[in-house]
Amino acid sequence: MSECKRRRMIAGNWKMYKSQAETRAFFEAFLPLVADVTDLDIVVAPPYTSLGVAVDLADGTNVGVSAQNLDWRKEGAFTGEVSAVMLKDAGCQYVIIGHSERRQYFGETDSGVAQKTKAALDAGLTPIVCVGELLQDREQGRTEAVLSQQFIGGPGSLTADEFSRILIAYEPVWAIGTGKVATPEIAAAAHRFLRQCVAEQYSAEHAAAVRILYGGSVKPENIQGLRAQEDLDGALVGGASLDAKSFADIVKCK
Ligand code: 13P
């Protein structure tokens, strides 16, 4: 699969952090630090309330803006929800779907992830679909079973054409916000397994083309080892993406 050149992506998931003023300060510091980066996609995912500020400041730059969630319906009496069409209208290019925090705290299911992913694609957004096992899954030797189940029920239910327009993020839940990054070898093995799932469900071409990001305690100090793994196409960064300098250091790691 090494003959296929996949463009890397470094995406920052801000979760429920940063006011509009903090978003502005971040972009003012971050954009000059990464202005000369052309060899990968850079994405920032602020909370809904800061999307407008982020879209304005990122306009015409090499940084794309992502939302962190969406409702799969177009519009309607669904208090508190935001649709894919609305995110597109607000200037987003990407949306994170099925993050483990949404699965854990908001009851998201694999079929909900599939619905949201289709809605995002229909609206012209690029979905970044998250999968990942719990610590107990790994300890019980169930990592591949869980990844396979999340894959089949979620992104694996798309058509082949739809599937070619998404990214996958492998985020082992035990590594998220814990400071306990997966070793490059553990991450690479999971990425290889996911590619195998893609090959079985779609084709070898799809498996070679799909971009798979790693997420979970990625920091400037550990990005180098992860970057060296050919099955990893970049990172989905939480905590370290909140600081302009540390996120830029991750983006610029060679
Ligand atoms: P941390 O980088 O803070 O562990 O978060 C990872 C994550 O959940 C990104 O979506």
Side-chain angles (χ1 to χ4, degrees):
M1 287 174 192
S2 53
E3 71 282 359
C4 173
K5 286 247 183 313
R6 297 179 295 265
R7 186 172 166 84
R8 294 174 64 244
M9 175 186 284
I10 301 289
N13 174 12
W14 284 1
K15 310 191 179 184
M16 199 168 74
Y17 290 100
K18 287 198 193 292
S19 65
Q20 296 186 56
E22 288 165 338
T23 301
R24 183 174 298 280
F26 173 91
F27 273 86
E28 281 165 2
F30 181 67
L31 290 174
L33 296 176
V34 299
D36 58 351
V37 174
T38 53
D39 59 342
L40 79 170
D41 293 331
I42 308 170
V43 175
V44 174
Y48 285 136
T49 45
S50 286
L51 284 176
V53 173
V55 165
D56 284 349
L57 292 168
D59 187 33
T61 75
N62 55 346
V63 177
V65 176
S66 175
Q68 301 173 15
N69 182 33
L70 78 164
D71 191 288
W72 61 272
R73 292 161 286 221
K74 270 207 176 76
E75 60 182 8
F78 302 106
T79 302
E81 293 302 292
V82 175
S83 73
V85 179
M86 290 167 180
L87 294 176
K88 181 75 181 169
D89 179 54
C92 291
Q93 294 160 258
Y94 302 89
V95 59
I96 297 168
I97 296 175
H99 191 279
S100 66
E101 287 151 15
R102 297 224 47 94
R103 294 176 189 260
Q104 188 179 350
Y105 304 125
F106 303 96
E108 288 207 3
T109 59
D110 294 333
S111 63
V113 168
Q115 269 178 317
K116 289 183 176 198
T117 306
K118 283 185 212 291
L121 288 169
D122 286 349
L125 295 166
T126 299
I128 302 170
V129 183
C130 304
V131 295
E133 81 286 1
L134 302 171
L135 181 59
Q136 73 194 55
D137 298 325
R138 179 160 286 273
E139 287 175 346
Q140 293 168 3
R142 288 178 30 80
T143 298
E144 294 193 349
V146 168
L147 293 180
S148 165
Q149 186 183 328
Q150 291 178 345
F151 176 79
I152 300 285
S157 67
L158 300 171
T159 66
D161 173 60
E162 287 169 339
F163 186 83
S164 63
R165 291 183 281 141
I166 74 164
L167 287 89
I168 293 177
Y170 167 62
E171 298 208 314
V173 180
W174 47 270
I176 295 178
T178 58
K180 201 176 158 203
V181 66
T183 64
E185 293 72 26
I186 286 180
H191 284 225
R192 274 195 299 277
F193 176 74
L194 286 165
R195 266 186 224 291
Q196 198 181 308
C197 294
V198 176
E200 281 164 20
Q201 189 76 359
Y202 297 101
S203 69
E205 289 71 32
H206 284 83
V210 66
R211 292 190 283 175
I212 308 182
L213 312 182
Y214 166 79
S217 295
V218 174
K219 310 279 177 224
E221 304 77 56
N222 59 34
I223 184 67
Q224 196 106 40
L226 296 164
R227 191 188 180 324
Q229 298 290 330
E230 83 172 55
D231 273 295
L232 272 68
D233 303 310
L236 182 54
V237 185
S241 72
L242 294 168
D243 178 75
K245 169 78 168 63
S246 79
F247 193 45
D249 284 348
I250 292 170
V251 166
K252 296 180 89 159
C253 167
K254 289 287 175 212

